[in-house]
Amino acid sequence: LYQQCWEVQKKTLGEDHPATLSTLNSVACALIRQERYSQAEVLFRNCWEVRKKTLGEDHPDTLKALNGMAVAVDGQGNHDKAVELLQGCWEDMKKKLGEEHPHSLECLYDLANALKNQGNHSKAEKLQRDCCELSEKKLGINHPETLKYKKHLDLMITNTN
């Protein structure tokens, strides 16, 4: 359905229109959920490149596309590149949105996951703990995102021991 919507928007609004890019981002996210990482990377990269030109490199929507692209890269097993991209994205999100913003927290969560996949378990666990603490502070202890981050931390600790 997202794919069909994106095709119609490209024809009617143009490829660079914010609504078209938002739908493109949604298509790429759906591909991530289906573990179709190489296809998702292409779409996220396209979205990121256009948003860099139209919105600027540090715009939150540009950074969200970069974050998604890094997750797709990580899913393909290129953990070093994913960590590099996510570290830069995390720093930019902290500057632009603050470290407690939900987009920043999601980026930190993804960075911790990429570090775990890279084999850097101690740093991954530390960042995941930071993510949990920041999320509790901003969103509350029972917020679904906070609970997701805590579950991921528990799994990280369990799988490391």
Side-chain angles (χ1 to χ4, degrees):
L1 192 56
Y2 280 133
Q3 184 82 28
Q4 292 171 342
C5 185
W6 177 51
E7 294 296 336
V8 170
Q9 285 177 324
K10 279 195 309 187
K11 290 175 187 168
T12 58
L13 301 174
E15 290 188 26
D16 295 353
H17 191 278
T20 305
L21 292 171
S22 179
T23 302
L24 175 61
N25 199 75
S26 296
V27 172
C29 288
L31 291 170
I32 290 282
R33 287 189 295 278
Q34 296 170 6
E35 298 181 0
R36 294 164 60 187
Y37 299 113
S38 63
Q39 291 171 290
E41 180 189 357
V42 170
L43 298 185
F44 277 126
R45 187 176 300 279
N46 180 8
C47 188
W48 177 58
E49 292 291 346
V50 173
R51 283 179 169 167
K52 275 196 309 185
K53 290 176 196 165
T54 59
L55 301 174
E57 287 193 31
D58 67 341
H59 189 280
D61 290 343
T62 305
L63 294 172
K64 281 173 44 183
L66 174 59
N67 189 96
M69 183 176 71
V71 169
V73 167
D74 190 48
Q76 294 173 77
N78 192 346
H79 310 306
D80 294 342
K81 184 64 176 174
V83 166
E84 178 187 329
L85 292 170
L86 286 163
Q87 283 176 328
C89 189
W90 162 239
E91 290 302 322
D92 290 344
M93 282 201 183
K94 281 194 305 184
K95 288 178 199 161
K96 189 70 175 181
L97 302 171
E99 66 182 5
E100 295 176 357
H101 189 279
H103 296 327
S104 299
L105 291 172
E106 189 67 24
C107 186
L108 182 58
Y109 167 82
D110 292 334
L111 175 56
N113 192 53
L115 285 162
K116 175 188 65 83
N117 293 340
Q118 186 186 50
N120 193 340
H121 297 285
S122 60
K123 188 169 183 184
E125 184 178 325
K126 185 212 176 302
L127 292 183
Q128 192 61 40
R129 283 185 192 283
D130 292 348
C131 186
C132 289
E133 290 171 13
L134 290 167
S135 185
E136 277 184 28
K137 183 178 171 186
K138 179 68 175 184
L139 303 174
I141 195 164
N142 292 318
H143 190 278
E145 290 299 304
T146 303
L147 296 173
K148 176 181 89 170
Y149 300 147
K150 284 184 169 189
K151 178 182 175 186
H152 189 76
L153 176 61
D154 288 344
L155 289 171
M156 196 178 282
I157 293 168
T158 301
N159 291 334
T160 302
N161 294 335

